[in-house]
Amino acid sequence: MDTMETSSDEEESRTFVQVLSEKYNPENFPYGQGVMVMPSLPGSPVKDRLFLPCSLVLSGSGINKAGDRSDIAAFCVHVAELDLSQNQLKDWEEICAIVSNIPHLDFLNLSMNPLMGVQLEPCMAEVFSRVRQLVLINTHISWDTVHTLTKHTPELEELFLCLNGFNTVSESQTSCPSLRLLQITDNQLQEWKEVRKFGQIYPSLNTLVLANNSVDCVGDSPETLQRLFPNLRSINLNNSGLSKWTDIERLNFFPKLKEVKVKGIPLLKTYTDQERCSLLLAQLPSVVLLNGSMVSHGDREDAERFFIRHYQDCPKQELPERYHVLVSKYGRLAPLAEVDLSPRSTMVDVRWGEKVEAMSLHLEQTVAELRKHIRALLQLPHHGIRLFYINREMCSVFGPEELKCGTRALHSYRIQDGDEILVVPKVKSRSSSSEGL
């Protein structure tokens, strides 16, 4: 009974050191493969110590404890990137024990570890001071812990907080001026008053990824947006709740904005793809990358001209401010000529002996298609027929012209209304008859 309980306890407790020694056992690397082996110290429970690769992936390994700290330090002296996603780490003390013994750690992924309701004490957070990229996706971490981490990571540049169920943003008394990228997709943020807090917490923010949040507007005055997001160059609002063109116009108030993504928003659902692109581009004169595509000078000019034509028949009180700016640039534009792209047709008489039938002739079809159609129209046998085109105005000069080439389009003959198609049976030549005898 005791043996079974001990075995069960061992299965429940799985350490970082244990997983390392199993995955990077020297026996698994007979040819080195970038892993350097170093003899173990006397008395160590680990058979051999390893200088591991600088990028270490231990995701989905059931880790819930750190293990021997001295072993971690010996193993991970050269490790710079550590992926601990999808493990069972739910104690910041254990996480800190791992991180504190990796002196050159630059990237840390703790995604999908059960950290809900687990607080990080500020006195322990200093061990994260060297981290530049921190991934906390689907951990259900609290804002208090996020702020504790960012307060003690003076070099943090990228923070990933997706799938954490956030519907509000807690303000922090201490900003994080080093952060350049915040990805907070697939949360439950709806109001701009929550989003604007990111500008206060992360004043140097360069990229803000808000996709798959139901943010319903871009609020604030131009002066406030310029003050809150002075360095923002890229914003992703895909699948947000934006429903007004004024929200798109306000994006222009971010003074350095160059890239915008706004796919899947309610505002654009009634437009075609081309209309969406043109109307967005015309409203965003400083953007050079729209929905992932580079914007050329020609793209912008076409979009701005489309924008003028789209709005110029609207009542004056409904015209957007951008319309007046573009009219001053291009002037009022004439509507584009409507081009009829339907197949061209003409009326001709089809003559077969004494029988004459009026027929609407589609000029895009070929001679072979016409021959098949005439056989059906006149209920002719399947043996050969010949077709002749008669231009009624010029027949006295040129006479009938045989339609020989089956693949030639009828429009190339310049057939007009009132012309005639003469159908005659194909007669075998005498030579072919004599050959048959």
Side-chain angles (χ1 to χ4, degrees):
M1 185 71 175
D2 292 342
T3 304
M4 290 180 64
E5 288 179 358
T6 303
S7 174
S8 177
D9 290 343
E10 288 176 354
E11 289 176 4
E12 290 177 3
S13 179
R14 189 158 172 78
T15 70
F16 177 81
V17 172
Q18 181 183 356
V19 172
L20 268 182
S21 60
E22 290 173 0
K23 182 170 183 177
Y24 292 96
N25 189 305
E27 295 175 3
N28 296 330
F29 299 91
Y31 305 107
Q33 299 178 357
V35 180
M36 299 179 62
V37 182
M38 175 177 153
S40 63
L41 296 176
S44 171
V46 183
K47 290 183 179 180
D48 288 287
R49 294 187 180 279
L50 306 178
F51 282 128
L52 301 177
C54 63
S55 181
L56 197 61
V57 179
L58 297 174
S59 58
S61 301
I63 298 169
N64 56 10
K65 300 285 184 181
D68 188 273
R69 277 61 167 166
S70 60
D71 280 336
I72 298 173
F75 269 116
C76 301
V77 66
H78 294 305
V79 171
E81 299 181 0
L82 178 59
D83 183 353
L84 290 174
S85 61
Q86 300 183 63
N87 281 289
Q88 296 301 315
L89 292 163
K90 52 187 176 182
D91 187 336
W92 281 106
E93 187 173 347
E94 297 296 328
I95 296 171
C96 290
I98 296 170
V99 172
S100 63
N101 287 286
I102 307 179
H104 302 292
L105 190 63
D106 182 87
F107 169 91
L108 177 62
N109 186 353
L110 293 172
S111 298
M112 289 175 278
N113 280 279
L115 296 173
M116 178 185 287
V118 185
Q119 296 300 312
L120 172 63
E121 296 298 328
C123 61
M124 294 192 296
E126 293 180 0
V127 301
F128 297 93
S129 62
R130 298 171 301 278
V131 173
R132 294 176 183 270
Q133 295 173 292
L134 183 57
V135 187
L136 298 167
I137 297 171
N138 199 15
T139 57
H140 293 277
I141 192 172
S142 70
W143 277 114
D144 286 343
T145 300
V146 171
H147 295 330
T148 299
L149 283 165
T150 57
K151 182 178 179 180
H152 293 87
T153 48
E155 298 180 19
L156 186 66
E157 295 180 358
E158 299 183 3
L159 179 61
F160 298 80
L161 296 174
C162 315
L163 291 164
N164 281 312
F166 294 132
N167 54 22
T168 60
V169 179
S170 298
E171 295 182 5
S172 174
Q173 295 182 351
T174 307
S175 66
C176 180
S178 61
L179 197 72
R180 301 290 184 270
L181 179 149
L182 175 62
Q183 183 163 320
I184 191 164
T185 63
D186 296 282
N187 280 279
Q188 298 168 22
L189 299 173
Q190 295 185 19
E191 299 182 9
W192 183 258
K193 70 178 184 179
E194 303 299 328
V195 176
R196 72 192 304 274
K197 296 174 186 176
F198 295 137
Q200 299 167 325
I201 303 169
Y202 312 117
S204 300
L205 203 60
N206 178 285
T207 301
L208 178 57
V209 185
L210 283 163
N212 303 328
N213 284 276
S214 300
V215 177
D216 58 3
C217 70
V218 178
D220 290 321
S221 66
E223 296 76 19
T224 302
L225 291 174
Q226 291 170 14
R227 176 175 54 81
L228 288 176
F229 297 95
N231 298 295
L232 193 68
R233 296 181 63 84
S234 174
I235 190 167
N236 184 334
L237 289 161
N238 285 348
N239 301 314
S240 63
L242 301 185
S243 59
K244 298 178 180 178
W245 281 110
T246 51
D247 296 318
I248 302 300
E249 292 173 15
R250 286 196 185 103
L251 296 178
N252 291 307
F253 301 144
F254 298 112
K256 294 185 179 179
L257 193 67
K258 298 296 179 184
E259 178 180 1
V260 169
K261 291 183 178 180
V262 282
K263 292 182 178 180
I265 62 175
L267 172 65
L268 302 176
K269 284 186 177 179
T270 59
Y271 298 100
T272 66
D273 288 345
Q274 185 58 48
E275 288 171 340
R276 288 176 194 141
C277 182
S278 295
L279 294 173
L280 284 170
L281 191 52
Q283 289 270 30
L284 300 168
S286 298
V287 168
V288 297
L289 200 61
L290 179 62
N291 288 335
S293 299
M294 290 295 297
V295 177
S296 70
H297 176 76
D299 293 335
R300 186 175 302 284
E301 181 172 341
D302 290 345
E304 291 174 345
R305 289 179 176 275
F306 175 88
F307 188 89
I308 292 174
R309 291 188 173 99
H310 180 79
Y311 281 104
Q312 65 185 5
D313 292 330
C314 292
K316 188 174 182 180
Q317 63 273 18
E318 295 179 13
L319 294 174
E321 182 61 32
R322 184 67 179 155
Y323 171 82
H324 301 292
V325 173
L326 293 177
V327 167
S328 67
K329 179 178 179 180
Y330 296 103
R332 288 183 60 84
L333 303 177
L336 290 175
E338 293 188 8
V339 179
D340 184 5
L341 298 177
S342 60
R344 290 177 292 160
S345 63
T346 187
M347 291 298 298
V348 298
D349 290 332
V350 177
R351 181 181 298 276
W352 168 254
E354 299 298 322
K355 186 176 183 180
V356 179
E357 291 277 353
M359 186 176 80
S360 177
L361 198 66
H362 291 288
L363 299 179
E364 300 301 321
Q365 67 182 334
T366 63
V367 169
E369 290 169 334
L370 174 63
R371 185 179 289 115
K372 183 178 179 181
H373 185 59
I374 286 177
R375 280 176 181 164
L377 176 70
L378 300 178
Q379 298 181 342
L380 299 176
H382 288 289
H383 60 73
I385 59 172
R386 298 169 68 186
L387 302 181
F388 292 85
Y389 163 54
I390 300 174
N391 184 322
R392 288 193 172 176
E393 293 182 358
M394 304 296 293
C395 61
S396 60
V397 179
F398 297 109
E401 179 181 359
E402 185 169 5
L403 306 180
K404 288 184 177 181
C405 181
T407 58
R408 183 173 173 181
L410 296 180
H411 65 74
S412 65
Y413 290 96
R414 303 185 183 279
I415 301 174
Q416 299 179 10
D417 286 343
D419 288 345
E420 187 174 313
I421 301 295
L422 178 64
V423 185
V424 299
K426 185 180 290 185
V427 181
K428 292 184 179 180
S429 65
R430 292 183 178 179
S431 58
S432 61
S433 299
S434 61
E435 286 173 5
L437 295 172

